Amino acid sequence: MAHSDDSDWSTDDDSDGEIEDTVFDTKAPRPIKISTPVNSAKFHPTNKIFVAGDFDGVIQAWSFDNESEVPTTELKLKGKAHDDSIRGVNFSRTGSKLFTIGNDKQLLVSDVETGKAVLSITESFEESPYCIDSCNEFVIATGDEGGVVRLFDIRKKNPVDELLIDDG
């Protein structure tokens, strides 16, 4: 984003031109320690839930409360979701579904309330998928190591569209 002189950016200057110190609330839940490296993590769009996918194909979900007197985190779900490293996690816009992709070339859709898989699409990728995003409850986009962007409508089994990103 470009900064212009007529923008709404402002500082709290005192009379001698020094910027006043900002006081930050430093209360935070305890750190979440995970023994296996995490490849992807995401916050739920509306609830205080945080998910992480690791190198072993395990998804973990925690609830957190950073507004109570003693900030807390609680492990709510842990399970093997992919045969290999999880490359990306993302929630649907309403947060009712969790989308995950892995080095096993699988797209997995899970129900957030139950943690159960509702759809598994395998063999939809020639190369391992690398990133994922959603635009609504049903349509997601993925990118893979081969430079292919795929749009999926999870109500169907195959990608809706593919686009090869070519550097040449």
Side-chain angles (χ1 to χ4, degrees):
M1 176 188 291
H3 177 71
S4 65
D5 291 335
D6 60 343
S7 70
D8 290 339
W9 292 79
S10 64
T11 58
D12 295 329
D13 289 336
D14 58 18
S15 60
D16 61 1
E18 291 185 24
I19 298 174
E20 293 179 25
D21 289 335
T22 302
V23 178
F24 293 99
D25 179 4
T26 57
K27 282 192 316 185
R30 293 178 330 185
I32 297 170
K33 300 202 186 234
I34 302 171
S35 60
T36 304
V38 170
N39 235 1
S40 185
K42 203 64 130 178
F43 284 101
H44 190 276
T46 58
N47 297 330
K48 291 184 175 189
I49 298 172
F50 174 80
V51 298
D54 70 22
F55 280 22
D56 290 338
V58 175
I59 288 284
Q60 297 181 64
W62 296 266
S63 63
F64 65 94
D65 180 0
N66 60 333
E67 295 176 9
S68 65
E69 189 67 31
V70 178
T72 59
T73 57
E74 179 183 353
L75 182 64
K76 293 293 196 178
L77 174 76
K78 181 177 182 178
K80 182 87 167 163
H82 291 267
D83 293 333
D84 205 341
S85 177
I86 292 174
R87 292 288 190 87
V89 298
N90 205 325
F91 287 99
S92 61
R93 294 291 184 221
T94 64
S96 66
K97 293 177 182 67
L98 176 67
F99 306 118
T100 63
I101 52 173
N103 206 33
D104 59 2
K105 301 179 183 176
Q106 174 186 204
L107 166 64
L108 185 65
V109 181
S110 301
D111 180 271
V112 170
E113 284 289 317
T114 65
K116 299 207 182 293
V118 294
L119 177 66
S120 172
I121 301 175
T122 58
E123 301 178 17
S124 291
F125 302 98
E126 293 173 20
E127 304 274 344
S128 293
Y130 212 79
C131 60
I132 187 168
D133 201 359
S134 67
C135 67
N136 61 34
E137 291 303 295
F138 305 107
V139 178
I140 61 170
T142 63
D144 71 23
E145 290 179 349
V148 177
V149 173
R150 287 183 175 82
L151 298 178
F152 288 88
D153 182 333
I154 63 169
R155 296 169 289 195
K156 303 173 183 178
K157 284 281 188 184
N158 295 317
V160 175
D161 202 359
E162 292 183 2
L163 174 65
L164 175 61
I165 308 299
D166 188 1
D167 293 346

